[in-house]
Amino acid sequence: MAESITAEPFRFFKIILQETLQDKKLRIPGDFVKKFGDELCDVATLRVPNGCVWKVGLTREGRKIWFNDGWHDFVKNHSILKEYFLVFEYAKNSTFDVLIFDKTACEIEYTCAEPENEKQNDGKKSKPRKVAYEDEYKFVAVLEEMGICISGAYKFLSVEERQRIICASRLFRLENPSFLCIMGSTTVLNYVYVPPKFANKYLNKVNGSIKIKDTDGRVWPVNLAWSGWCGIRKGWPAFSKDRDLKAGDICLFELIRTEGVLFKVSVLCHKHASLE
């Protein structure tokens, strides 16, 4: 049985299209609306890392919801262009924390217009955090700086996929040793491959039953097994089915507890990047 634990924030991201800029509004992903649409009020609050706060009106059409009135002002203030990458974390009460990445896959330097928006702190500009996605070794180095291991499969990732992984990893704000897995058709159904570097350092003497905590605040029993390589197997199919994981989803496994091993699993669903 799954044990109840504090739920974690829900996140999604959007890639800015030319049509988005022309329409001067941004559609919220359908899966988010299904889960939280009924609790959204008519005005949403967007917060960026430098403390600036933006009020943006929401427009509804059936089960579809857009950021609308005020959205274009938000776009203009941050000089958002086609192919920019925005990550939204829902903080409840119709409030979203937003990270903005430009075409070079770097986080922008945030500015705050006055007097339309309020500042929650001293209003100082945050410095852009630059990372290299095209060089696979620098990509791995960036992840390792955040305490994240990834398997050799990263060599087959596109630049866009690496960008998505770095953005997701930053947003999850990990505090403990972690490893990352991109769901493929086999891993979704049967098992999760644990990178050897992580397994040998943190799980060398672990074999058998462990637990994973999902983003809905529940704990699931799974089995860690070694057979030439380390993997999470028995119990994983039930977790995957319950979370409706799909190929392309990113799962970050954060090692919360080493005695009676417990991983926190954060998921960024590939479908939330929908260009709808």
Side-chain angles (χ1 to χ4, degrees):
M1 293 293 292
E3 304 167 15
S4 179
I5 290 184
T6 304
E8 294 179 19
F10 190 96
R11 307 171 181 92
F12 64 86
F13 66 83
K14 298 289 289 188
I15 299 171
I16 300 301
L17 305 178
Q18 186 60 42
E19 299 93 293
T20 307
L21 298 174
Q22 293 171 348
D23 293 342
K24 298 183 179 180
K25 61 182 181 180
L26 182 71
R27 185 176 172 185
I28 298 174
D31 282 8
F32 179 91
V33 173
K34 289 178 183 178
K35 192 167 186 177
F36 300 105
D38 291 339
E39 69 180 63
L40 294 177
C41 61
D42 293 333
V43 178
T45 299
L46 305 183
R47 304 185 303 204
V48 291
N50 69 347
C52 289
V53 177
W54 294 76
K55 300 295 184 180
V56 177
L58 297 180
T59 298
R60 301 172 186 264
E61 183 179 312
R63 295 301 296 174
K64 298 178 182 179
I65 301 179
W66 288 264
F67 293 116
N68 197 350
D69 296 334
W71 171 254
H72 188 57
D73 293 331
F74 180 86
V75 169
K76 288 194 300 181
N77 183 78
H78 296 97
S79 301
I80 296 172
L81 301 174
K82 177 184 175 183
E83 298 177 2
Y84 273 39
F85 183 97
L86 277 60
V87 183
F88 296 79
E89 177 176 298
Y90 186 48
K92 296 295 185 182
N93 300 317
S94 300
T95 299
F96 299 81
D97 292 314
V98 186
L99 298 180
I100 305 170
F101 298 83
D102 65 19
K103 294 181 181 180
T104 68
C106 296
E107 189 171 5
I108 70 167
E109 182 172 1
Y110 298 94
T111 60
C112 191
E114 297 287 359
E116 291 85 359
N117 297 285
E118 303 169 346
K119 295 182 180 179
Q120 292 180 324
N121 54 26
D122 57 11
K124 292 182 179 179
K125 296 180 179 179
S126 58
K127 296 181 179 180
R129 295 178 290 196
K130 297 185 177 180
V131 295
Y133 299 97
E134 296 185 3
D135 186 311
E136 64 184 44
Y137 299 105
K138 289 183 179 179
F139 166 70
V140 173
V142 169
L143 288 178
E144 290 183 343
E145 286 178 4
M146 292 187 282
I148 301 171
C149 289
I150 186 172
S151 72
Y154 70 82
K155 296 179 180 178
F156 303 100
L157 296 172
S158 67
V159 173
E160 291 75 16
E161 288 172 321
R162 293 174 189 168
Q163 175 188 6
R164 192 161 65 95
I165 288 169
I166 294 295
C167 292
S169 301
R170 281 177 170 159
L171 189 62
F172 290 139
R173 302 187 185 107
L174 304 173
E175 299 178 353
N176 300 292
S178 306
F179 71 90
L180 179 148
C181 182
I182 302 175
M183 297 292 100
S185 57
T186 303
T187 48
V188 168
L189 296 175
N190 300 318
Y191 63 85
V192 170
Y193 177 81
V194 181
K197 184 175 182 179
F198 184 94
N200 292 331
K201 184 172 183 179
Y202 299 105
L203 304 173
N204 193 34
K205 296 182 180 181
V206 179
N207 194 30
S209 180
I210 65 171
K211 293 180 178 180
I212 56 177
K213 183 180 75 169
D214 71 8
T215 53
D216 289 328
R218 297 175 296 169
V219 172
W220 295 74
V222 294
N223 191 69
L224 187 75
W226 294 74
S227 58
W229 53 275
C230 181
I232 297 174
R233 304 186 186 185
K234 184 179 179 181
W236 176 255
F239 174 86
S240 176
K241 182 178 180 180
D242 183 85
R243 291 305 310 270
D244 193 27
L245 296 181
K246 298 289 191 301
D249 290 351
I250 297 172
C251 290
L252 273 166
F253 293 77
E254 183 179 6
L255 185 58
I256 302 299
R257 190 173 66 217
T258 55
E259 292 293 330
V261 173
L262 172 67
F263 281 98
K264 179 176 69 175
V265 184
S266 299
V267 180
L268 184 63
C269 297
H270 182 57
K271 59 190 174 185
H272 291 152
S274 172
L275 302 184
E276 60 185 10

